[in-house]
Amino acid sequence: MATTGLLFHLHPTAFSSARPQNATSRLHSHCPPQGIHAAGRRCLLRAKSSNGHPQIGASFSDGVLDGKVPGGGPPEQEGNTVSITVVGASGDLAKKKIFPALFALFYEDWLPKHFTVFGYARSKMSDEELRNMISMTLTCRIDQRENCSDKMEQFLQRCFYQSGHYNSEEGFSELDRKLTEKEAGKLPNRLFYLSIPPNIFVDVVRSASRTASSPSGWTRFIVEKPFGRDYESSGELTRSLKMYLAEEQIFRIDHYLGKELVENLSVLRFSNLVFQPLWSRDYIRNVQLIFSEDFGTEGRGGYFDNYGIIRDIMQNHLLQILALFAMETPVSLAAEDIRNEKVKVLRSMRRLKLEDVVVGQYKGHTRGGKSFPAYVDDPTVPSGSVTPTFAAAALFIDNARWDGVPFLMKAGKALHTRRAEIRVQFRRVPGNLYRGNVGTDLDMATNELVLRVQPDEAIYLKINNKVPGLGMRLDSSNLNLFYSERYQREIPDAYERLLLDAIEGERRLFIRSDELDAAWAIFTPVLKELEDKRVAPELYPYGSRGPVGAHYLAANYNVRWGDISSDGSF
């Protein structure tokens, strides 16, 4: 009996891409094998800071990564320090994500031995007031190895504050003076996180780069999306930033690339032989990238209305995932090799046309005696706004591997559930012997691979199997890996991974300028047409599955959205 042939060994370790627990495993993406295994040899990243000095914190010698021995823990170099300045420290992103992520890294001993955190914003605030503000959002959610309050107090004592205007060189000069005091003669490395609106990126970079750059170590800037509104404005932003910074100093962050399941995507594909021959137009019928939120703009309508769901989610989060999914095997795991392959995918994609896009906007709805407001009911949204809160699109990659395969994207707010997932639907079995046992809907009998990014991270593969009994009745079942069941550790937040990578100079999960240009080139024409023609979005009730037009769009390519299938899948 051939049943064992089905057990192609979905071993949990093959799926896992949890953050490495030792320095050696984090190093494999940087150094050639001989640099890791040859005794007494030293593997060194030759990347330099803007002032020509080697970037500290990226070398390996006899099993030690800058003093960090295998098994985890911070670098122990006495001569180096890292100063992390959160610009826009009083904002929601800083309070809810950035400071908690820094504390989690400190709690897990991933930060260097010598580090300092500074907050910078216009608000007048003392060091103690900043610490009180930060302490409200810190939690010891990871392994309780040490007393939480002690670790929290140690972290807070390394946090300081400087107030100043974002376009003020005087404010950043005073910050520089305080940073220099804290660095106390050590080799200073400085990281600036721009947690601010995009219209003041250039002002901050101009002032900070001129007056607060490290005099002898590296200086890096993390820039949050949105990176412009279209191809032209994005290019102008890049040119403006490069007046003061080298490309190597700019870390454009898309936090979705730090999600565990997105990180695991390349592991799943490139380290499991069973999937490699299947990853092409020969076996894959369509790929779906789905993002949904079960809440509306909730007071962010004024900001959201200037961008809309396509710019907010599809042009960055979902398109980045698509590029990782579809890219060819890179030469190595080095950042530039991976980003080169992603750019090739983006440049091979057709520009979106209006007929391949459906837009929607949620309307008010009453359910269970509770009323939910329409998007235009938000007082911060302009009256008569046609900004889409939902969009579905069909994209195509014109290359040998993916020719003719529709990549369907769907993203929306105020939908029936919160979900982010990648669904890979495979082709039908040619001449299926059991087609008479699966009913008339052969699409329901095709295999499907699903990577659930959030919530409840999981990977599962839908297969057909016989229902026990004397008859021959087939059923669909899931071979699944639930992260919460397989791994007891809580999954780190995406910001933890990305902050750690920025400190270490690892650019693999950050977006390069030519990658950004290629992404905008795909979406800019259709965005311009939507806005010039003021295309009215199809209204859908708050809490529904979205506009009906999305189903017609999928049907045009003989596709059924996987998240609404009748098979009861997750």
Side-chain angles (χ1 to χ4, degrees):
M1 195 164 188
T3 0
T4 53
L6 184 63
L7 300 176
F8 42 72
H9 227 54
L10 295 175
H11 196 281
T13 56
F15 286 127
S16 173
S17 68
R19 187 183 60 203
Q21 295 306 301
N22 58 66
T24 308
S25 55
R26 281 195 69 85
L27 187 69
H28 280 269
S29 62
H30 299 285
C31 299
Q34 64 269 25
I36 297 174
H37 301 297
R41 296 183 183 178
R42 184 173 180 84
C43 175
L44 183 63
L45 286 178
R46 296 298 180 186
K48 295 181 179 179
S49 67
S50 59
N51 50 32
H53 290 267
Q55 292 177 337
I56 306 303
S59 63
F60 182 91
S61 179
D62 294 334
V64 180
L65 175 62
D66 279 354
K68 185 189 288 187
V69 296
E76 295 299 332
Q77 288 180 311
E78 294 298 326
N80 303 321
T81 183
V82 174
S83 299
I84 304 161
T85 300
V86 181
V87 182
S90 56
D92 278 352
L93 178 63
K95 290 187 286 189
K96 294 178 180 178
K97 290 292 185 180
I98 302 171
F99 288 121
L102 287 170
F103 173 64
L105 290 174
F106 172 72
Y107 189 82
E108 287 286 282
D109 292 331
W110 279 110
L111 289 181
K113 179 178 179 181
H114 303 291
F115 78 92
T116 304
V117 176
F118 262 85
Y120 185 100
R122 291 174 297 191
S123 311
K124 296 292 183 183
M125 199 185 307
S126 66
D127 293 344
E128 199 55 42
E129 286 172 326
L130 174 74
R131 291 165 185 160
N132 288 337
M133 181 190 77
I134 294 173
S135 66
M136 303 297 290
T137 58
L138 301 188
T139 58
C140 295
R141 59 168 179 74
I142 309 178
D143 300 344
Q144 300 284 339
R145 292 193 307 271
E146 299 187 48
N147 184 281
C148 180
S149 58
D150 289 347
K151 295 287 283 188
M152 195 176 293
E153 186 59 31
Q154 292 170 28
F155 176 77
L156 291 172
Q157 290 308 307
R158 297 193 187 210
C159 297
F160 305 91
Y161 186 76
Q162 171 63 40
S163 66
H165 291 286
Y166 294 126
N167 60 353
S168 166
E169 291 193 11
E170 291 77 15
F172 282 99
S173 291
E174 181 60 20
L175 173 67
D176 177 67
R177 185 187 66 79
K178 291 184 177 179
L179 288 174
T180 302
E181 286 180 2
K182 303 298 179 187
E183 289 158 351
K186 294 181 173 62
L187 180 64
N189 300 306
R190 295 180 180 178
L191 176 66
F192 292 85
Y193 196 119
L194 306 192
S195 177
I196 51 177
N199 61 309
I200 54 177
F201 283 168
V202 178
D203 289 339
V204 169
V205 168
R206 181 193 303 114
S207 301
S209 64
R210 285 175 172 173
T211 61
S213 288
S214 170
S216 52
W218 51 255
T219 301
R220 299 170 186 152
F221 287 77
I222 297 179
V223 183
E224 272 279 352
K225 75 173 184 72
F227 313 115
R229 297 188 76 255
D230 51 29
Y231 184 86
E232 291 75 19
S233 59
S234 173
E236 178 58 33
L237 176 60
T238 295
R239 287 188 292 273
S240 298
L241 292 176
K242 287 186 177 181
M243 291 174 63
Y244 309 101
L245 302 173
E247 172 68 25
E248 292 72 25
Q249 292 179 274
I250 305 170
F251 287 67
R252 299 173 188 85
I253 189 171
D254 183 334
H255 74 273
Y256 252 69
L257 293 182
K259 297 277 188 182
E260 190 68 39
L261 261 294
V262 177
E263 274 272 82
N264 213 351
L265 179 57
S266 58
V267 176
L268 181 72
R269 177 181 172 189
F270 296 123
S271 71
N272 291 282
L273 181 62
V274 66
F275 291 119
Q276 288 193 14
L278 305 181
W279 221 262
S280 74
R281 62 189 300 274
D282 295 332
Y283 294 96
I284 291 178
R285 187 160 52 103
N286 68 81
V287 180
Q288 302 175 20
L289 300 106
I290 298 170
F291 176 96
S292 65
E293 291 178 334
D294 55 2
F295 54 88
T297 52
E298 317 288 316
R300 288 180 64 246
Y303 164 82
F304 182 86
D305 199 74
N306 192 41
Y307 293 96
I309 197 71
I310 295 176
R311 291 184 178 94
D312 195 39
I313 302 297
M314 296 176 77
Q315 184 274 337
N316 40 71
H317 297 337
L318 297 187
L319 191 62
Q320 285 292 316
I321 295 173
L322 187 157
L324 280 171
F325 177 94
M327 70 180 184
E328 295 298 319
T329 307
V331 174
S332 74
L333 290 175
E336 295 313 302
D337 289 334
I338 291 175
R339 297 198 291 187
N340 287 343
E341 295 303 328
K342 288 170 63 183
V343 170
K344 289 179 187 177
V345 171
L346 296 174
R347 287 179 175 169
S348 299
M349 294 182 68
R350 297 179 202 169
R351 294 185 177 184
L352 262 180
K353 296 180 180 179
L354 194 57
E355 55 264 32
D356 286 328
V357 176
V358 170
V359 293
Q361 187 185 95
Y362 65 86
K363 62 181 180 179
H365 182 59
T366 300
R367 185 175 69 246
K370 184 177 180 181
S371 295
F372 298 90
Y375 172 70
V376 292
D377 291 339
D378 187 326
T380 62
V381 172
S383 176
S385 171
V386 292
T387 298
T389 60
F390 175 99
L395 298 101
F396 292 88
I397 303 171
D398 291 329
N399 64 16
R401 181 180 292 273
W402 299 112
D403 184 37
V405 176
F407 285 77
L408 296 179
M409 284 186 183
K410 181 170 67 170
K413 291 183 172 293
L415 296 173
H416 69 296
T417 187
R418 174 176 173 261
R419 180 198 305 266
E421 63 187 15
I422 308 161
R423 304 186 79 101
V424 184
Q425 294 186 347
F426 293 92
R427 297 190 181 279
R428 301 171 185 171
V429 176
N432 192 338
L433 291 174
Y434 294 96
R435 59 184 176 275
N437 303 90
V438 296
T440 57
D441 192 348
L442 294 179
D443 287 343
M444 297 300 297
T446 59
N447 302 121
E448 186 175 30
L449 175 68
V450 181
L451 286 81
R452 189 196 298 143
V453 178
Q454 68 179 26
D456 305 324
E457 294 85 350
I459 300 173
Y460 60 94
L461 179 66
K462 189 175 80 173
I463 63 164
N464 297 312
N465 61 277
K466 179 185 177 296
V467 176
L470 298 178
M472 177 56 71
R473 187 163 63 89
L474 269 61
D475 187 23
S476 290
S477 300
N478 295 313
L479 303 179
N480 54 58
L481 164 63
F482 292 110
Y483 272 58
S484 59
E485 295 179 5
R486 175 64 181 86
Y487 303 106
Q488 298 307 307
R489 290 177 58 89
E490 185 169 341
I491 294 175
D493 185 79
Y495 282 92
E496 295 171 36
R497 184 188 312 279
L498 294 168
L499 278 163
L500 182 60
D501 280 353
I503 291 169
E504 294 186 345
E506 168 57 68
R507 295 173 175 80
R508 181 171 50 92
L509 299 178
F510 295 90
I511 302 168
R512 204 167 62 191
S513 60
D514 59 340
E515 193 177 341
L516 190 59
D517 290 343
W520 275 119
I522 297 166
F523 281 91
T524 293
V526 76
L527 285 167
K528 189 175 189 312
E529 192 171 357
L530 283 167
E531 291 169 356
D532 288 349
K533 294 181 177 179
R534 283 188 61 81
V535 174
E538 181 183 343
L539 298 180
Y540 61 95
Y542 193 119
S544 68
R545 294 181 181 270
V548 175
H551 305 288
Y552 287 113
L553 175 68
N556 287 342
Y557 301 101
N558 195 28
V559 174
R560 176 182 295 161
W561 291 106
D563 60 327
I564 57 168
S565 60
S566 59
D567 63 353
S569 60
F570 312 147

